Amino acid sequence: MSCGISMVKYILFIFNLLCSICGILLIVFGALLFSNIHNIDDFAEALRTQQVPITMIVLGTVILLISWFGCCGAIRESYCMSMTYSILLFVLMIGQLALVIYMWLQKDKYLVIMGDVVEKAWERRTRRADYMDAIQISMECCGRTNFSDYSFQGYFPPSCCKDTNNCRPDTVYRRGCKAAFVEFWDRNSDIIKYSGLVIAAIEFVGFVFACCLANSIRNYRRRADY
């Protein structure tokens, strides 16, 4: 095998090894965030309320699968696996670009969807730690509209206060979670979009290297047959 093919092979292998690590980390963090499941009812509730961890697990699995094809194709110098990896990476890149373009052109609609996330979390809240508690802790907010949403139950959940052991009306977060959550995504939407473009560019580089490797392997084998 020529020096050029070997260089491309090692670059592609390192690239996919790093992607595999990222995929594993996404799966691990998603699993840690996912609530404990004890029965079928809990599992159904988790699927409805734990959307972010589930997305992390699915995305990590997809990245790990695609990276596996890339690593195997590079190590085995397999034309079939290298081309499969190229196609899967290209599909992932197109899907990611479509999502970025959607966020760019439909930002208002996207923010409405983010607001609906809080609405659904509020409607499905339970007395145990759930998605609403996670939003209240991370966004430092309380209730759907504001802290008065909890007035019907006569007390505030610990997640509504910085000091969870001493949650009183004078220490509770005043801001509502829907406004805080929408503002967070509005403020960070540009970071997400540009990060998506950078990642798509990196994926395109990996796609080009994979195509070059597959083409080089095919040409080398053709020459070897003569």
Side-chain angles (χ1 to χ4, degrees):
M1 192 66 71
S2 67
C3 180
I5 295 178
S6 298
M7 181 66 69
V8 173
K9 180 178 71 173
Y10 290 127
I11 292 174
L12 196 60
F13 175 77
I14 293 172
F15 173 80
N16 285 286
L17 187 61
L18 294 174
C19 288
S20 298
I21 293 172
C22 292
I24 292 171
L25 289 175
L26 277 174
I27 294 172
V28 171
F29 286 135
L32 290 174
L33 289 173
F34 199 76
S35 62
N36 293 326
I37 299 172
H38 303 289
N39 52 50
I40 298 298
D41 293 334
D42 283 348
F43 182 73
E45 179 67 19
L47 288 178
R48 289 193 296 268
T49 60
Q50 305 283 331
Q51 296 166 353
V52 173
I54 291 173
T55 302
M56 291 176 67
I57 293 171
V58 171
L59 183 59
T61 303
V62 171
I63 292 174
L64 190 61
L65 177 64
I66 294 176
S67 300
W68 180 81
F69 273 101
C71 287
C72 291
I75 293 173
R76 298 177 54 130
E77 296 175 358
S78 169
Y79 170 77
C80 181
M81 296 192 79
S82 295
M83 282 306 299
T84 301
Y85 168 73
S86 301
I87 293 170
L88 291 174
L89 193 62
F90 182 75
V91 171
L92 180 64
M93 181 184 66
I94 294 300
Q96 191 170 294
L97 286 175
L99 181 60
V100 170
I101 292 172
Y102 171 80
M103 289 182 63
W104 219 302
L105 299 179
Q106 302 290 335
K107 183 178 178 180
D108 293 338
K109 186 176 180 180
Y110 171 75
L111 293 178
V112 170
I113 293 174
M114 292 299 101
D116 290 341
V117 169
V118 178
E119 292 282 353
K120 291 177 182 178
W122 175 258
E123 292 169 2
R124 296 166 181 167
R125 69 192 183 282
T126 61
R127 290 187 180 275
R128 65 182 185 275
D130 61 2
Y131 196 31
M132 193 66 202
D133 283 333
I135 294 174
Q136 289 174 159
I137 292 171
S138 59
M139 297 288 110
E140 296 188 347
C141 58
C142 185
R144 178 179 52 185
T145 307
N146 53 48
F147 67 96
S148 63
D149 290 335
Y150 285 106
S151 59
F152 71 95
Q153 64 184 28
Y155 66 92
F156 300 105
S159 58
C160 273
C161 299
K162 185 163 290 187
D163 184 2
T164 57
N165 296 319
N166 185 26
C167 197
R168 307 187 312 271
D170 56 324
T171 61
V172 73
Y173 296 128
R174 301 290 169 177
R175 194 175 188 196
C177 287
K178 184 173 182 179
F181 197 65
V182 171
E183 184 180 321
F184 170 81
W185 286 105
D186 185 26
R187 186 171 63 249
N188 292 282
S189 61
D190 288 339
I191 297 175
I192 296 171
K193 287 183 287 190
Y194 289 117
S195 297
L197 290 176
V198 170
I199 294 171
I202 295 172
E203 290 170 347
F204 179 75
V205 172
F207 168 75
V208 171
F209 272 106
C211 288
C212 290
L213 177 62
N215 188 58
S216 299
I217 293 171
R218 183 180 59 181
N219 291 337
Y220 178 83
R221 289 180 177 174
R222 281 181 177 176
R223 289 193 298 266
D225 291 337
Y226 287 109

